[in-house]
Amino acid sequence: DMAKNFKTVRITPTCFNGTTNAQSEVLFNPTEIKNAVAHNGGAALLKSVSIVDFDDNADDDYELYFSQLGTNDLGTLGAVIDITDAELVTSKSLGWVAVPGVTNNEIGDMVLSRISTVTGIDLVVQAEGGSSSIFVGCVCGTAATVSTTSGLELILGFEQL
């Protein structure tokens, strides 16, 4: 039995600076997750995702889209997602993870901020041949998400294979 190799990677994506007015609007475009896998072209299991929302949004769901490459944007920040089929193919999609929002006065409500966590994900991700990075973009699952440029921090937990 080989020892399991776990690690976390923290990223602060460049987010839309404003308030979304509809569901399915782009909060941030594909952002590099460096060293998500142990070696170039390697694979890992995404085990967990935590999102720290310093902008303190109540009940805001996050839809995360993972890809091997950050070649194409999901769309314009603050506008409805509009990535084309051809762009999705080029980006080499890896899958999605839904991260639920935090309700007022429930666990995760840190009063001035909120922390949402999803565990037990087990999404297999793989980097390109010359890279140990993957990418993640995010779409709002709810309308009226208030965001600032660096208002979110993602903590991604990987089991490196």
Side-chain angles (χ1 to χ4, degrees), residues 116-132:
S116 300
T117 300
V118 177
T119 59
I121 297 168
D122 281 345
L123 176 67
V124 177
V125 297
Q126 184 164 5
E128 280 289 284
S131 173
S132 60

Side-chain angles (χ1 to χ4, degrees), residues 1-6 38-39 43 159-161:
D1 242 6
M2 287 178 43
K4 292 189 182 286
N5 181 14
F6 294 99
H39 54 85
E159 180 181 350
Q160 295 184 322
L161 305 174

Side-chain angles (χ1 to χ4, degrees), residues 118-159:
V118 177
T119 59
I121 297 168
D122 281 345
L123 176 67
V124 177
V125 297
Q126 184 164 5
E128 280 289 284
S131 173
S132 60
S133 296
I134 63 168
F135 293 81
V136 62
C138 181
V139 169
C140 300
T142 45
T145 300
V146 178
S147 59
T148 54
T149 305
S150 56
L152 295 178
E153 180 184 38
L154 277 66
I155 304 99
L156 302 121
F158 295 97
E159 180 181 350

Side-chain angles (χ1 to χ4, degrees), residues 23-37:
Q23 196 172 336
S24 302
E25 291 189 357
V26 179
L27 201 52
F28 62 84
N29 273 309
T31 301
E32 186 174 12
I33 305 168
K34 292 182 180 172
N35 301 311
V37 303

Side-chain angles (χ1 to χ4, degrees), residues 29-131:
N29 273 309
T31 301
E32 186 174 12
I33 305 168
K34 292 182 180 172
N35 301 311
V37 303
H39 54 85
N40 286 357
L45 280 176
L46 175 64
K47 302 291 285 183
S48 63
V49 175
S50 291
I51 298 179
V52 183
D53 178 4
F54 296 105
D55 298 319
D56 195 31
N57 288 285
D59 302 312
D60 278 13
D61 299 329
Y62 303 96
E63 300 167 5
L64 301 178
Y65 293 95
F66 292 87
S67 56
Q68 252 176 274
L69 296 169
T71 316
N72 296 294
D73 285 346
L74 297 176
T76 303
L77 296 183
V80 172
I81 186 171
D82 67 358
I83 188 168
T84 67
D85 292 352
E87 289 170 334
L88 270 176
V89 169
T90 305
S91 295
K92 297 187 177 177
S93 291
L94 294 167
W96 59 267
V97 173
V99 181
V102 173
T103 303
N104 286 331
N105 304 313
E106 296 294 333
I107 191 160
D109 182 357
M110 307 289 289
V111 181
L112 299 179
S113 62
R114 292 173 199 259
I115 302 174
S116 300
T117 300
V118 177
T119 59
I121 297 168
D122 281 345
L123 176 67
V124 177
V125 297
Q126 184 164 5
E128 280 289 284
S131 173

